[in-house]
Amino acid sequence: MQATLTQTISFEGVGLHSGKPVRMDVHPAAARFGIWFKRTDVSDADNMVRAIYSAVGAKPLCSELTNDDGVGVSTVEHIMAALAGCGIHNALIELDGPEVPIMDGCSADFVRAIVEVGARKQAARLYAIEVLSPVMVEENGAMAMLTPAGGLEIDFHIEFPDAAIGRQHMALDMRNGTFVRELSDSRTFCRKADIDMMHDNGLALGGTYHNAVVVDGDDVLSPGGLRHVDEAVRHKMLDALGDLALAGAPILGRYTGVRAGHAMTNKLLRKLFANPSSYRFVPCTPEQAARLPGVGVRKADLALVA
């Protein structure tokens, strides 16, 4: 069955790229509502923005949603990953600014709040998107692919010149609270050499050494170092779950990413839905539902989250 939150949860912080302060309230929503963002600071245009792959624009380094009136919400991937990873299908997310707060650079704060209040089952059947045949996109040495699988699996490969990151690979089956335990506390990261370039392009204006892992060659410059030796690839998997959640329903399939980012995952979803023979919507059986992210999440899992 579908699920929503038992009560509203609230967050305050700054946008990673805008640098602007923002308050975000995540409210329970009715069955079949889906995930929607509401810009409470916008009164002269449609302020409702649906969390759906077709609303994603071309903004670099994050996923930004925009409605037909040009009202947008950016950096949605971390809250989308938290909702998907905790099994929340319906929610209204109100913000008084243009960007989701970055918090400490991952989904941990969102996950902790969701798990603490808990989920409420709703009187509506949960449908999933079953991948029927392989779909792949490639670009400049990067690749993203969806293939059939009984649940959601994520397999990710990255490679960076900085030795502090280097070459990393991880593959996980996302059932039984895996996201909460293994990925939710892994932070966004960047190379020190790229910070000036991002600032020159109006990006990462709210970034600090406390809400992102900054590396420079062999060195990790952020206080406290890494939370995981392979924190970088874990964060890329977190991002992938958040971007895949924009499909509009849970996915039954295996996602493989090689140096992939937000834009490539969005292109993959667009290619999937452009070919009706490559997928189908299915009502989840109890066995299928048990293989989805969010099922099996326990409060005890929070002890493993930084």
Side-chain angles (χ1 to χ4, degrees):
M1 308 304 287
Q2 295 179 23
T4 190
L5 298 165
T6 62
Q7 64 188 68
T8 297
I9 53 177
S10 300
F11 308 91
E12 293 186 358
V14 299
L16 173 63
H17 294 297
S18 68
K20 296 180 179 179
V22 59
R23 176 185 171 92
M24 182 173 77
D25 299 312
V26 186
H27 302 284
R32 305 182 186 87
F33 181 80
I35 309 295
W36 286 77
F37 291 86
K38 181 178 181 180
R39 286 280 303 277
T40 60
D41 58 319
V42 173
S43 59
D44 58 350
D46 180 8
N47 64 358
M48 294 290 289
V49 183
R50 187 184 176 194
I52 193 71
Y53 73 95
S54 55
V56 173
K59 189 168 185 177
L61 302 181
C62 70
S63 289
E64 181 178 38
L65 302 165
T66 306
N67 67 16
D68 290 342
D69 281 3
V71 175
V73 178
S74 64
T75 320
V76 302
E77 55 271 15
H78 298 173
I79 184 62
M80 291 301 299
L83 293 169
C86 293
I88 301 299
H89 313 109
N90 301 299
L92 172 63
I93 305 170
E94 292 188 333
L95 304 98
D96 62 1
E99 188 175 12
V100 171
I102 190 60
M103 311 310 287
D104 72 343
C106 63
S107 294
D109 288 328
F110 304 143
V111 162
R112 192 173 291 108
I114 294 168
V115 175
E116 287 290 349
V117 302
R120 174 170 56 84
K121 295 295 183 182
Q122 298 175 289
R125 176 66 67 87
L126 177 63
Y127 281 75
I129 300 160
E130 182 181 12
V131 178
L132 300 176
S133 59
V135 178
M136 182 174 67
V137 292
E138 295 180 279
E139 188 175 282
N140 299 325
M143 182 274 289
M145 179 169 60
L146 280 167
T147 52
L152 179 62
E153 303 170 10
I154 299 180
D155 184 329
F156 219 107
H157 304 250
I158 63 172
E159 185 174 359
F160 285 83
D162 297 76
I165 300 176
R167 182 179 297 171
Q168 299 180 15
H169 168 243
M170 177 174 273
L172 291 172
D173 186 319
M174 301 305 296
R175 74 178 82 185
N176 292 330
T178 295
F179 170 76
V180 172
R181 294 189 304 272
E182 303 291 343
L183 304 181
S184 67
D185 65 348
S186 293
R187 298 159 293 173
T188 192
F189 62 94
C190 69
R191 304 171 63 222
K192 187 176 185 296
D194 294 334
I195 291 177
D196 289 341
M197 178 274 294
M198 290 191 288
H199 287 173
D200 289 344
N201 286 278
L203 299 170
L205 301 180
T208 71
Y209 286 112
H210 297 283
N211 61 25
V213 175
V214 182
V215 301
D216 186 18
D218 294 343
D219 300 321
V220 178
L221 305 183
S222 298
L226 297 173
R227 292 175 177 172
H228 307 276
V229 172
D230 53 358
E231 186 169 1
V233 74
R234 289 173 187 250
H235 184 79
K236 296 292 282 187
M237 296 170 77
L238 182 159
D239 279 348
L241 178 62
D243 292 334
L244 291 172
L246 296 172
I251 290 177
L252 298 171
R254 181 179 182 88
Y255 171 93
T256 301
V258 178
R259 302 187 185 94
H262 302 295
M264 180 155 284
T265 302
N266 184 254
K267 289 178 181 178
L268 180 65
L269 288 179
R270 290 175 184 267
K271 186 171 182 178
L272 174 74
F273 291 117
N275 182 2
S277 67
S278 64
Y279 73 96
R280 65 181 176 185
F281 282 91
V282 295
C284 280
T285 65
E287 293 77 18
Q288 287 172 320
R291 295 194 290 265
L292 292 174
V295 175
V297 172
R298 307 169 302 155
K299 284 190 177 182
D301 292 332
L302 295 179
L304 302 175
V305 178

